[in-house]
Amino acid sequence: MSNIAAHDTASHKDAIRMSAFIGSTAAPSADTATGRTRRPLIGITAGTRTLTDGAWAGYEATAVTTNYTTAIREAGGRPVILTPGEVWSADELADLDGIVITGGTDIDPARYGADALPTDFAADEARDAFEIELAQAAEENGIPVLGICRGLQIINVARGGTLIQHLADEDLAYPRSDQQLTEVPIEVDADSDVALALGTAPTVSAFHHQAIDALGRGLRVVARHASGVVHAVQSTSGAPVLAVQFHPETRADAAELFARFVGITSGSRAVAPSPKMATVQP
């Protein structure tokens, strides 16, 4: 995305901060002008895939698994697909109550000052630019964000953090989880939203070969594997951020994580956005 025009409103940020991220079950917000209600609008990032068979073989398709949209819908939100290359006006971005940054391929290591390795998966530069810019716009403008797997890594890199590029090359007693979804036990801080949703010792489903190394600004680690591999972070101030290295959208017993996120986003429309506009470049 070459351009995201984001609303800049202190009152909107204050409304977010006054709402505890430990959300209750989401309920549609009321439109006081019309008396109607609406579900929170949750933007879900997508990638692209090249179709390989049929009449449309060779054509590009917007791709995101329905697990994400189903999880948000069942949590009380209304999913809106966000695609790389879209240009959002201030008013359009302000319409979103929250953003989910989804899983996908590796981030270009140049984005966090590292060299490419043979173990890197091919980066999607357009999606990298789109999602990093989106994460930064959300941070600056008080939009709650949920990051999942690559989404956690995007948030960390967007905030100046770095990544371990290939866990199997590290001297860590960590399960190989780079070929398929793998059950991984994690330890969660009791004082965290992950613990309130999943408990302090859940088993999660992971599919990754990279993880957080240096932590980005404004984040704190709230869950790890016993090896030390980071599995969840939250924001320490400002707009709520919850990011996990695992895939809660694949497990029915992790649905509460989405319910809590959608719950807090329903409070993000308490104050109308300011007409001021800041343009964020990738």
Side-chain angles (χ1 to χ4, degrees):
M1 178 161 64
S2 61
N3 231 337
I4 292 181
H7 63 289
D8 179 14
T9 165
S11 57
H12 183 64
K13 291 180 182 178
D14 290 341
I16 295 287
R17 293 189 185 107
M18 288 187 291
S19 300
F21 186 50
I22 301 165
S24 58
T25 302
S29 59
D31 183 333
T32 55
T34 64
R36 294 179 296 180
T37 59
R38 65 186 281 286
R39 289 172 288 168
L41 296 179
I42 309 299
I44 300 176
T45 64
T48 56
R49 295 287 186 274
T50 303
L51 300 178
T52 58
D53 56 15
W56 303 109
Y59 283 80
E60 293 287 298
T62 296
V64 61
T65 65
T66 57
N67 300 69
Y68 294 105
T69 54
T70 298
I72 288 297
R73 191 177 298 112
E74 292 182 349
R78 181 171 184 175
V80 178
I81 304 303
L82 308 179
T83 57
E86 289 291 337
V87 177
W88 285 73
S89 71
D91 287 343
E92 290 167 341
L93 191 61
D95 280 341
L96 295 178
D97 300 296
I99 295 169
V100 178
I101 303 178
T102 60
T105 193
D106 293 348
I107 302 167
D108 182 350
R111 291 271 178 183
Y112 50 94
D115 296 325
L117 298 179
T119 51
D120 291 346
F121 293 108
D124 183 337
E125 294 183 5
R127 186 177 177 188
D128 286 352
F130 167 72
E131 290 182 331
I132 288 172
E133 184 184 358
L134 196 63
Q136 291 170 340
E139 179 187 3
E140 293 170 6
N141 296 283
I143 302 172
V145 177
L146 172 62
I148 295 174
C149 196
R150 167 188 159 95
L152 170 143
Q153 296 168 10
I154 283 283
I155 291 166
N156 194 59
V157 170
R159 290 171 173 245
T162 63
L163 302 178
I164 298 170
Q165 283 177 257
H166 193 55
L167 288 167
D169 290 343
E170 305 296 316
D171 186 18
L172 298 170
Y174 186 74
R176 286 296 296 263
S177 59
D178 54 352
Q179 299 297 318
Q180 61 186 7
L181 279 171
T182 303
E183 291 200 337
V184 177
I186 61 172
E187 302 166 358
V188 183
D189 288 358
D191 180 23
S192 72
D193 297 289
V194 178
L196 290 174
L198 306 180
T200 58
T203 295
V204 298
S205 294
F207 180 34
H208 65 117
H209 78 114
Q210 299 187 330
I212 286 178
D213 188 7
L215 191 63
R217 66 180 179 274
L219 300 173
R220 70 180 179 103
V221 175
V222 297
R224 295 181 185 269
H225 178 261
S227 63
V229 171
V230 173
H231 261 270
V233 299
Q234 289 183 203
S235 52
T236 57
S237 62
V241 171
L242 174 59
V244 297
Q245 185 59 74
F246 52 92
H247 284 273
E249 79 282 4
T250 66
R251 299 178 67 108
D253 61 1
E256 181 62 22
L257 206 62
F258 292 96
R260 291 185 180 280
F261 178 70
V262 173
I264 186 58
T265 67
S266 65
S268 70
R269 299 183 58 82
V271 179
S274 159
K276 287 180 66 179
M277 186 170 96
T279 300
V280 183
Q281 298 290 345

